Amino acid sequence: MSLAQGRHYLAIPGPSVVPDRVLAAMHRPAPNIYTGELLELTHSLFPDLRQLAGTRHEPVIYIANGHGAWEAALANTLSRGDRVLVVGTGRFAAGWGQIATGMGVEVETLEFGLRAAADPQALTEALAADRDHAIRAVLVVQVDTASGVRNDIRALRRAMDEAEHPALLMVDCIASMGVERFEMDAWGVDVAVTGSQKGLMLPPGLGFVFYNERADRARDRANCVTAYWDWRARTNPEIYYQYFCGTPPTHMLFGLRESLDMIAEEGLQNVWTRHQILAHAVWEACEAWGSEGPMEFNIADRARRSHAVTSMRLTAPHGTELREWLTANAGVTLGIGIGMVAPEDPEWHRFFRIGHMGHVNAHMVLGTLASIDAGLKALSLPHGPGALEAAARVVAQV
Ligand SMILES: *Cc1c(COP(=O)(O)O)cnc(C)c1O
């Protein structure tokens, strides 16, 4: 017997749920790519993308996943042999650093481990120690989707200013844009990158890079840049073809128009608040479960937890057992514990993550939590009482 029939819910931290409205907008014949509707639609996207990122600067859209956006940001600002400082707060910061290493850039890491946010004071000290300003850029992830941490980007900018260091601040917002508050210009971010498949509620396939004038000045001397990734050629080009260095991502653009409309209709502030409240509901439930038995948060400090994803620890192999039970019996799939330990390590089976980003509402989150509660009971995993009441109270207080 299984109760998994019905609409399956992929509650992993990306790709996130694609709204029916977005799917419907994409379900159409191929458009002409030389004239007409698609061209106008493309031009309409840029003001909305700027608003999403809190910037007056130009966004560039690549046909790429997040890794492509990472590479684009580095290629346009760095030369082989340049040095960057990676703010190490999990797998994704490390991954961005690996892309840089592969491009011939020297990577230094200021490590904070897998269970804490970056300490601004330590960043100030690391930059102050770089007296001849060899570090060209600081790479930081706003939300590390593996550990579930949220870094304080404003505080990290202030830390750089305190050290009077001229490095660019480059921020990975792949898990957080359209989920968490982010204000590129007000916070002094030079380059921000994101992707389509998380807060933007689209399938994977679009990578976005936002850059300011300081970053564009770095582009003058960057020898890592190649024709395809060159953001200048793609910014306000005379010829439509150059926006995408070739055929545009036709159906993704129709989907993006729809998802940006959905965000505008709800209001970006409301989108951020919705994610915050739903995250609080998840945390209240997890705290109740953890009040007895082994369940614990990967990030103990509430103030530094992301509103996009919650990373939890059980005892091995119960994280994996719980995930498998939910998929088989409740029609909900939770995230695996990537980047914490190697997949061949038995401890890998401790972890699970609850994605709560993008097209999520109260019943999806409460249903997921109730399904986890059922799974804990079905598997006789020790847990504290009152989780669902606690989550419902958060939702009821709206
Ligand atoms: C998902 C994610 C990435 C990687 O994106 P891909 O589309 O898988 O290349 C990078 N950084 C963060 C923070 C992410 O959440």
Side-chain angles (χ1 to χ4, degrees):
M1 183 57 212
S2 163
L3 301 176
Q5 299 311 313
R7 177 170 285 207
H8 196 92
Y9 176 24
L10 190 64
I12 71 173
S16 64
V17 172
V18 182
D20 289 344
R21 268 179 70 174
V22 170
L23 292 171
M26 297 174 77
H27 189 88
R28 48 167 296 150
N32 191 344
I33 60 168
Y34 300 106
T35 180
E37 186 189 0
L38 183 70
L39 278 61
E40 280 162 38
L41 179 142
T42 303
H43 292 130
S44 80
L45 298 170
F46 295 103
D48 292 10
L49 288 169
R50 281 200 287 270
Q51 200 174 2
L52 181 73
T55 184
R56 60 182 177 82
H57 299 290
E58 290 307 324
V60 175
I61 308 174
Y62 296 93
I63 302 179
N65 60 15
H67 283 68
W70 274 347
E71 181 154 333
L74 301 170
N76 280 281
T77 51
L78 300 168
S79 295
R80 276 169 279 283
D82 277 355
R83 181 177 304 180
V84 297
L85 182 67
V86 167
V87 176
T89 54
R91 179 180 191 274
F92 290 95
W96 202 359
Q98 278 160 9
I99 297 278
T101 302
M103 295 167 77
V105 169
E106 262 185 62
V107 174
E108 197 183 308
T109 301
L110 181 61
E111 190 54 62
F112 297 96
L114 297 170
R115 304 198 67 178
D119 170 16
Q121 182 62 32
L123 179 61
T124 301
E125 283 161 21
L127 291 175
D130 177 39
R131 285 202 187 77
D132 40 356
H133 296 168
I135 294 168
R136 294 272 177 184
V138 172
L139 311 187
V140 49
V141 175
Q142 188 181 16
V143 165
D144 187 283
T145 325
S147 72
V149 81
R150 173 161 44 91
N151 284 310
D152 185 343
I153 302 302
R154 239 178 322 191
L156 294 172
R157 170 81 255 174
R158 281 199 291 268
M160 293 175 69
D161 294 343
E162 214 165 291
E164 295 181 358
H165 198 288
L168 297 172
L169 174 58
M170 311 227 261
V171 182
D172 171 344
C173 303
I174 297 172
S176 50
M177 197 172 281
V179 175
E180 308 267 9
R181 173 175 295 279
F182 180 77
E183 299 176 41
M184 177 171 167
D185 294 354
W187 293 1
V189 173
D190 297 300
V191 178
V193 304
T194 194
S196 52
Q197 78 273 26
K198 298 188 183 177
L200 277 171
M201 309 176 284
L202 290 161
L206 299 180
F208 304 85
V209 177
F210 303 80
Y211 64 95
N212 68 11
E213 291 98 354
R214 284 188 76 223
D216 198 43
R217 278 198 294 281
R219 162 69 187 72
D220 284 333
R221 55 168 290 285
N223 77 15
C224 285
V225 74
T226 53
Y228 184 77
W229 294 117
D230 188 358
W231 64 33
R232 280 195 185 155
R234 291 166 176 259
T235 304
N236 292 318
E238 301 260 308
I239 304 162
Y240 181 74
Y241 196 72
Q242 290 173 346
Y243 274 113
F244 303 99
C245 196
T247 307
T250 49
H251 289 70
M252 290 294 286
L253 297 176
F254 286 103
L256 177 59
R257 181 62 273 157
E258 196 67 24
S259 76
L260 290 170
D261 286 346
M262 289 176 69
I263 290 170
E265 285 165 24
E266 184 176 356
L268 187 55
Q269 297 280 342
N270 293 336
V271 171
W272 292 337
T273 307
R274 170 168 53 85
H275 282 93
Q276 184 182 12
I277 294 169
L278 293 175
H280 287 170
V282 171
W283 302 345
E284 287 294 321
C286 292
E287 255 165 45
W289 286 322
S291 66
E292 289 165 33
M295 197 189 291
E296 63 171 319
F297 287 95
N298 188 57
I299 301 296
D301 180 2
R302 224 176 214 257
R304 298 270 50 96
R305 271 185 224 143
S306 127
H307 299 153
V309 54
T310 300
S311 294
M312 299 302 297
R313 298 170 161 249
L314 270 170
T315 35
H318 301 129
T320 297
E321 281 177 11
L322 182 67
R323 284 190 297 97
E324 288 175 352
W325 189 91
L326 261 81
T327 297
N329 297 289
V332 185
T333 295
L334 301 177
I336 58 172
I338 51 169
M340 306 304 286
V341 296
E344 51 281 4
D345 187 328
E347 287 294 289
W348 194 83
H349 297 286
R350 293 174 68 150
F351 302 97
F352 71 94
R353 291 176 302 157
I354 306 167
H356 34 88
M357 59 168 64
H359 195 53
V360 285
N361 60 21
H363 87 72
M364 294 161 84
V365 165
L366 293 176
T368 300
L369 296 173
S371 301
I372 294 172
D373 201 64
L376 292 169
K377 289 173 169 59
L379 296 167
S380 301
L381 301 176
H383 60 283
L388 302 181
E389 289 87 341
R393 267 197 298 275
V394 174
V395 170
Q397 273 163 16
V398 168

